Amino acid sequence: MATTNPARPCVAILGGAKVSDKIEVIENLGKIVDRLLIGGAMAYTFLKAQGLPTGKSLVEEDKVELAKKLLAHLGPKLMLPVDHVVVSEIAAGAAHETVDTIPEGKIAVDIGPKTIAAFSLVIAGAKTVIWNGPWGSSRSRPSTTVRWRWRRP
């Protein structure tokens, strides 16, 4: 079973909007996996915990301290997005751009190509992948180029 005796390396892909919904999942997977890739809106709470700008992206302000503790506990095992697709509003067909740093007034809705490349390398080398939760805004799909196109290097 993937969560009791996974083939290694074991990678978890975790998404969703709220850190609060995934605390136990993060803690439990942190004990099992070799790498934990966090995306979806919950990634922005972790980025804020690192002191990085998040613009108008969804952040659980009351969970930033918890995210700091999880970052310290998991260390380099935890991977977060390094670039982002941002929009000014969440709407189908919204104008978008890819940025390394989320500007004030912008909302991050997906991961960018640098993150796809970095995460793809980790996933390609995995013998076990555990996936829990969505990534990217389901209401605004501004760029099909960044939607889950993992590739083998």
Side-chain angles (χ1 to χ4, degrees), residues 13-17 37-44 79-81 111 119 134-136:
I13 301 169
L14 190 59
L37 314 181
I38 292 189
M42 104 167 75
Y44 302 105
M79 291 182 71
L80 296 169
I111 60 175
F119 286 8
W135 284 28

Side-chain angles (χ1 to χ4, degrees), residues 27-106:
E27 290 173 340
N28 289 331
L29 285 175
K31 298 172 191 170
I32 298 164
V33 302
D34 300 297
R35 298 305 293 263
L36 178 58
L37 314 181
I38 292 189
M42 104 167 75
Y44 302 105
T45 300
F46 282 92
L47 292 174
K48 178 119 184 195
Q50 290 180 320
L52 297 172
T54 56
K56 294 189 332 184
S57 305
L58 180 62
V59 171
E60 281 186 283
E61 296 290 344
D62 62 328
K63 299 300 179 204
V64 171
E65 286 304 314
L66 173 61
K68 285 181 184 178
K69 290 177 186 173
L70 290 168
L71 284 162
H73 176 70
L74 295 170
K77 182 182 283 196
L78 184 80
M79 291 182 71
L80 296 169
V82 295
D83 64 338
H84 320 273
V85 175
V86 297
V87 296
S88 295
E89 65 175 335
I90 304 248
H96 65 280
E97 62 183 310
T98 301
V99 297
D100 292 340
T101 302
I102 302 167
E104 193 64 37
K106 296 287 186 174

Side-chain angles (χ1 to χ4, degrees), residues 16-26 42 60 63 132:
K18 296 181 178 180
V19 174
S20 56
D21 289 346
K22 305 283 182 165
I23 294 167
E24 286 185 34
V25 175
I26 294 168
M42 104 167 75
E60 281 186 283
K63 299 300 179 204
N132 180 290

Side-chain angles (χ1 to χ4, degrees), residues 3-20:
T3 58
T4 56
N5 189 23
R8 302 237 176 240
C10 178
V11 175
I13 301 169
L14 190 59
K18 296 181 178 180
V19 174
S20 56

